[in-house]
Amino acid sequence: MSDIDRAADAIRDGELVVYPTETVYGLGADALDSDAVDRVFDAKGRDRSKPISLAAPSVPAALQYVRATERERRFMATFLPGPVTVLCRAREPVPEVLTAGRDRVGIRVPDHPTALALCERAETPITATSANVSGRGSVRRLDELDPELREATAATLDGGETPGTESSVVDPSSETIHRRGALADDIETWFETH
C-alpha cells in the first residue's frame, strides 16, 4: 500500500494527515466529518471563530459542495487548480464547524500532484489549512512540523520543500481579496477586466 493510500485511509477513518501543496504543508481531515474537523481545530489550537477551507481534486468535484454563481465559476476556471482559496456559498453537507457558522466556505483545488492524489483517493473533500500550530510559522518542510502536530497526525506525506507563499483568499462575488498571497496581482487584474 502506498503512503498516499495509507493517508487516504486515515482520512476516511476520521484521522489527521499532513500533506504538501503548492503553497505550504496542509493539515488534512475529512472536511464533511464534524468530529474530524474538531480534531483539526484542537491540533492547531485554532480559534473556532476562524473558518477552515476544504480541498477537492477538481473544480467539478468542489462544485458539489457550494452554490457557485456564474462569475465564481468563471473565476475558478481561471485560477484553479492553483494557490487560490475561493469563497462560495456552502451547500448542505458542509458542516458548520468548518465554516465557523458562516454561509460561505473556502474552496481549494491544489496545484500539487500529491495533494490532488490524496483528495482523489480519500473520496471526500479534505481540510485545507496550514499544518502548523496557530500563531506559529507555516511549514515548508516536514522537519519543521510542530511536535504537537506530528503527534496528532496518523500520516505525513513528504513532498520535499514547498514554495511557501500562502494562497490568496478571494470572494469573487464582492471582488474582495481577504488575504493577499500568491497571484494577488493577477486576481486584481481579472476583477478589472471581467
Side-chain angles (χ1 to χ4, degrees), residues 7-72:
D9 283 350
I11 285 171
R12 281 195 295 275
D13 291 341
E15 297 185 86
L16 310 186
V17 304
V18 172
Y19 63 97
T21 75
E22 79 284 27
T23 58
V24 296
Y25 274 85
L27 184 60
D30 182 342
L32 303 183
D33 178 341
S34 296
D35 292 338
V37 175
D38 267 332
R39 283 193 276 284
V40 171
F41 275 101
D42 291 343
K44 284 176 65 78
R46 186 178 175 91
D47 184 329
R48 300 282 170 151
S49 68
K50 293 182 174 174
I52 289 177
S53 300
L54 65 80
S58 66
V59 170
L63 289 172
Q64 296 175 55
Y65 306 103
V66 293
R67 290 186 180 84
T69 64
E70 190 51 47
R71 183 174 176 76
E72 288 164 348

Side-chain angles (χ1 to χ4, degrees), residues 31-32 52-56 62 65 94 98 105-109 125-128:
L32 303 183
I52 289 177
S53 300
L54 65 80
Y65 306 103
V94 176
L98 191 77
V105 66
I107 295 294
R108 277 273 277 127
V109 180
I126 65 174
T127 56

